[in-house]
């Protein structure tokens, strides 16, 4: 976990005041600075929980994604798509998981050039244990109740839609507003 700053003032609020004096009121500056700082705090907290398992949060997310897949395996390209990361990051993540014995790789029989990553039994054990610990600390968000966490999700969702992470009619359960199931949609939906 990161060392507390223990400042006697809120540096983001101070920056906001100075910004107003120099350039006028720009609430988005204080908002993005707060989001970026929150990301640093949360990543440090969750990484501290998963570190004893030889994981980073990115590697943990890959394990979870593989446990959600029907067969416990996915093409590397799907992993990158679902985790919304660059192919190089997926390769690095999966290679490290493979070295730890948590994931295995093999050629994709449906794609001569592709590689399938599959979670091992040890990977499932580690994923379950790390998940229990992350849930026990509310993924670093214990200062918020369930309703507030839902509000945070809802507030950030339009930003993700605007970035075209997914279409706005897609729900979190694999159902779209048109009633199409995840299996009926083109690839790219989690939990395949």
């Amino acid at each position: 976990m990161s060392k507390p700053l223990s400042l006697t003032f809120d540096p983001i609020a101070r920056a906001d005041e100075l910004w107003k004096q120099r350039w006028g009121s720009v609430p988005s500056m204080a908002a993005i600075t707060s989001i970026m700082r929150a990301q640093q705090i949360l990543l440090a907290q969750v990484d501290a929980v998963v570190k004893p398992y030889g994981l980073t949060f990115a590697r943990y997310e890959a394990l979870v994604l593989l446990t959600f897949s029907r067969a416990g395996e996915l093409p590397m390209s799907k992993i990158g798509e679902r985790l919304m990361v660059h192919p190089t990051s997926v390769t690095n993540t999966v290679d490290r998981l493979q070295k730890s014995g948590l994931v295995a790789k093999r050629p994709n029989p449906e794609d001569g050039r592709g590689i399938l990553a599959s979670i091992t039994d040890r990977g499932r054990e580690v994923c379950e244990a790390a998940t229990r610990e992350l849930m026990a600390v509310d993924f670093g968000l214990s200062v918020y109740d369930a309703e507030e966490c839902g509000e945070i999700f809802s507030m950030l969702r339009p930003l993700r839609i605007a970035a075209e992470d997914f279409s706005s009619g897609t729900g979190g359960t694999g159902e779209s507003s048109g009633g199409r199931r995840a299996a009926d949609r083109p690839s790219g939906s989690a939990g395949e």
Side-chain angles (χ1 to χ4, degrees):
M1 238 180 271
S2 64
K3 181 182 174 193
L5 297 177
S6 302
L7 299 174
T8 58
F9 65 96
D10 180 347
I12 296 173
R14 173 81 50 88
D16 186 43
E17 290 170 14
L18 295 171
W19 193 282
K20 286 175 189 172
Q21 292 171 17
R22 177 129 186 198
W23 290 299
S25 180
V26 182
S28 56
M29 185 285 297
I32 191 170
T33 307
S34 294
I35 290 169
M36 298 301 226
R37 179 61 184 142
Q39 190 267 349
Q40 292 172 341
I41 293 166
L42 293 171
L43 190 56
Q45 289 178 358
V46 296
D47 275 348
V49 171
V50 298
K51 185 177 182 178
Y53 297 100
L55 299 173
T56 61
F57 193 64
R59 288 182 220 150
Y60 167 77
E61 287 181 304
L63 287 179
V64 169
L65 179 62
L66 290 170
T67 64
F68 286 165
S69 66
R70 288 185 200 115
E73 63 182 15
L74 287 170
M76 298 279 280
S77 59
K78 284 252 197 250
I79 294 171
E81 186 178 279
R82 306 254 170 93
L83 295 180
M84 299 169 280
V85 296
H86 191 274
T88 304
S89 296
V90 174
T91 300
N92 183 12
T93 296
V94 172
D95 285 350
R96 289 180 183 261
L97 289 168
Q98 183 182 29
K99 285 179 188 170
S100 299
L102 305 177
V103 166
K105 292 189 326 188
R106 67 182 177 94
N108 186 344
E110 296 177 17
D111 173 6
R113 299 175 299 151
I115 301 290
L116 287 174
S118 57
I119 191 165
T120 64
D121 289 341
R122 175 76 183 129
R124 288 182 191 281
E125 292 169 9
V126 166
C127 185
E128 288 294 325
T131 298
R132 280 191 299 274
E133 288 196 39
L134 285 167
M135 288 172 58
V137 298
D138 290 322
F139 287 86
L141 292 168
S142 60
V143 298
Y144 301 105
D145 65 23
E147 183 178 331
E148 290 168 322
C149 286
E151 289 172 9
I152 293 168
F153 174 81
S154 294
M155 286 184 71
L156 295 174
R157 197 166 195 266
L159 181 67
R160 296 172 43 236
I161 291 168
E164 298 181 1
D165 278 357
F166 57 96
S167 64
S168 62
T170 304
T173 61
E175 293 288 333
S176 69
S177 59
R180 290 175 61 195
R181 297 176 316 121
D184 300 330
R185 285 196 307 273
S187 64
S189 49
E192 185 169 295

